[in-house]
Amino acid sequence: MWVFVIGDLFIFGAYFVIFMIARSEHRDAFLAAQQHLNLDAGLVNTLVLLTSSWCVALAVNAARVGDHRRATNLTLLGGLCGVVFIAIKAYEWISEIQGDQTITSSDFFMYYYMLTGVHLFHVALGLVILGVVVANLRNSELRRVSIVESGAIYWHLVDLLWVVIFALIYVMR
């Protein structure tokens, strides 16, 4: 899992550098396009993912002390937050597209949809991984804390990436 996480961090790091270079070359255009984003939706999504990571961290602690029922419930709650994140992002994308802010409308929105889309894929994959964690926690013969920890590592990566995306896309002016 750590190799995968480090590889993803390297790839996203390259995306972030490319975005920042493009932003510095077209600062006024990026600032004008950025004004169309829904900062509130981005902030709520940030809080949703932070809450999700907190739940998953608590699930790891519960699994470590053998409270598998609590670990399962907290993992499910973390996953539910992931589903809420996807719903908010879908609402946001639909709103942008209805406002004629598409992937072809500007370089900023090309990067916006690419970065948030690749991240959204990671959220969906994270939900699958959390599903594996829940299945592991529910099966007393296969139950291993290392599976819960590995799932949490990936989920925290998803959260960390979003915090950087939020800062770069929504907040940085």
Side-chain angles (χ1 to χ4, degrees):
M1 184 57 74
W2 279 110
V3 170
F4 182 73
V5 165
I6 291 168
D8 250 12
L9 286 172
F10 181 75
I11 291 167
F12 268 93
Y15 291 159
F16 297 153
V17 168
I18 292 166
F19 172 80
M20 289 185 293
I21 290 169
R23 186 181 185 283
S24 70
E25 291 174 352
H26 308 286
R27 182 170 166 71
D28 292 338
F30 272 53
L31 285 173
Q34 187 181 32
Q35 301 306 313
H36 295 281
L37 293 181
N38 184 337
L39 182 60
D40 292 337
L43 179 61
V44 169
N45 255 348
T46 302
L47 295 174
V48 165
L49 276 189
L50 289 173
T51 301
S52 178
S53 278
W54 180 59
C55 291
V56 170
L58 291 175
V60 170
N61 287 338
R64 285 177 178 162
V65 298
D67 191 350
H68 304 296
R69 182 183 183 116
R70 179 170 162 74
T72 300
N73 290 337
L74 286 164
T75 303
L76 287 169
L77 186 56
L80 178 62
C81 289
V83 171
V84 170
F85 177 92
I86 290 172
I88 293 169
K89 183 50 63 190
Y91 162 78
E92 196 177 356
W93 278 6
I94 290 167
S95 297
E96 295 301 340
I97 291 167
Q98 288 175 341
D100 292 328
Q101 304 303 325
T102 66
I103 197 164
T104 59
S105 63
S106 70
D107 283 351
F108 174 83
F109 275 100
M110 175 192 66
Y111 286 108
Y112 166 78
Y113 285 111
M114 188 276 300
L115 285 170
T116 60
V118 172
H119 179 264
L120 199 59
F121 170 78
H122 281 74
V123 173
L125 179 59
L127 290 174
V128 171
I129 290 170
L130 291 181
V132 169
V133 169
V134 167
N136 182 269
L137 285 166
R138 287 182 172 168
N139 186 334
S140 61
E141 294 177 19
L142 298 177
R143 195 177 289 148
R144 292 190 326 233
V145 173
S146 63
I147 297 294
V148 181
E149 291 171 338
S150 292
I153 288 166
Y154 183 81
W155 196 251
H156 294 316
L157 165 73
V158 169
D159 187 28
L160 171 67
L161 292 173
W162 177 255
V163 169
V164 175
I165 290 169
F166 176 68
L168 287 176
I169 299 283
Y170 291 83
V171 178
M172 196 167 92
R173 304 277 183 218

